[in-house]
Amino acid sequence: MAAVALVRGVPASFAECVAATPPDPPLSQEVAAEQHARYVAALEQGGYDVVAVPADDDRPDSSFIEDTAVVIGARVLATRPGHPSRRDEVAPVAGALGGRYPVHRVRAPAMIDGGDFLKMGSSVFVGRSDRTNDEGVSAVAAIAEPQGLSVTSVPVGRVLHLKSGLSALDDSTLLWHPNACDRSVFDGFDIVEVPGVDPEAANVLRLADGRILVAEHHQETASLVAARGFGVVTVDVSEFARADGGLTCLSIRIR
Ligand code: GLY
């Protein structure tokens, strides 16, 4: 089966995105839309068939589609995002995935954002963050464990989501920033530590062809990943970074 990536275009209301610190100058929808088009092209050049869910101008954060659904083996969990303003983003994404997979829904009081979900081989890690609670972790486990996947709940450190400070280079190698979580969670994995003050520098995306997509403003990460023998592609997603979003936030990848 071809690798597929779901994306969602940048809404007219993008400047109203949830952000820990109000962006100054304000976010630009035009700049974000240009960057998004190049991001989509990078996914396509990296081997993904891209499926676009229609943009929703009334949902400022809806380009951060990863938070709305997680693919767990042969099933999909439509999430219940931790930030109330983001909950109406879910239904169209669940609808787009529903033609391919059985879709399960997260029920209140559970909350989970896809940015807190990481799968490496048969191991699933779920960040316990401000956006994902214990009931959300249990919702993942209820789908993952019957499929033979192990599930580990990970207390998240000083980042928004678990993957705001780490990501997988392959099924055994992790790019990790110390702000993300305790390193010992990943004992047994090959850990590449990302230096510096910005944990988002550890958020990269595995392309379908095995190369690694790195944010253009994290050149040190690009060098670190290349030194490990991975092919590296860079793309400018700086406008999304100002809205607390990383590379992985902008797509749902199905490999
Ligand atoms: N702006 C992305 C988020 O806070 O979910």
Side-chain angles (χ1 to χ4, degrees), residues 55-190:
D56 182 346
D57 283 338
D58 295 329
R59 307 281 162 228
D61 284 280
S62 52
S63 291
F64 299 121
I65 188 173
E66 181 181 55
D67 290 321
T68 59
V70 292
V71 181
I72 309 173
R75 295 178 178 274
V76 165
L77 184 65
T79 68
R80 182 168 177 268
H83 198 289
S85 74
R86 301 201 55 194
R87 293 191 182 142
D88 288 343
E89 297 174 24
V90 174
V93 182
L97 286 164
R100 299 168 186 268
Y101 292 99
V103 176
H104 303 251
R105 284 166 205 283
V106 173
R107 308 279 176 204
M111 312 186 302
I112 178 168
D113 278 13
D116 280 316
F117 176 90
L118 174 72
K119 182 174 177 296
M120 295 176 76
S122 61
S123 303
V124 169
F125 300 91
V126 188
R128 175 71 177 76
S129 69
D130 287 346
R131 300 285 180 91
T132 298
N133 59 12
D134 288 334
E135 292 88 347
V137 179
S138 298
V140 171
I143 294 171
E145 288 174 351
Q147 298 185 76
L149 304 169
S150 69
V151 177
T152 303
S153 176
V154 183
V156 162
R158 285 168 288 138
V159 287
L160 174 61
H161 293 125
L162 181 64
K163 283 188 296 193
S164 304
L166 55 77
S167 51
L169 296 178
D170 58 27
D171 280 349
S172 59
T173 314
L174 184 80
L175 204 56
W176 171 84
H177 187 280
N179 282 20
C181 65
D182 198 300
R183 183 183 180 118
S184 65
V185 169
F186 293 96
D187 279 352
F189 288 85
D190 188 8

Side-chain angles (χ1 to χ4, degrees), residues 15 17 30 33 39 45 48 91 129 135 171 176 179 189 196 202 212 240 255:
C17 273
E30 290 77 14
Y39 173 86
Q45 286 157 16
Y48 283 108
S129 69
E135 292 88 347
D171 280 349
W176 171 84
N179 282 20
F189 288 85
I212 304 296
F240 298 98
R255 300 158 64 92

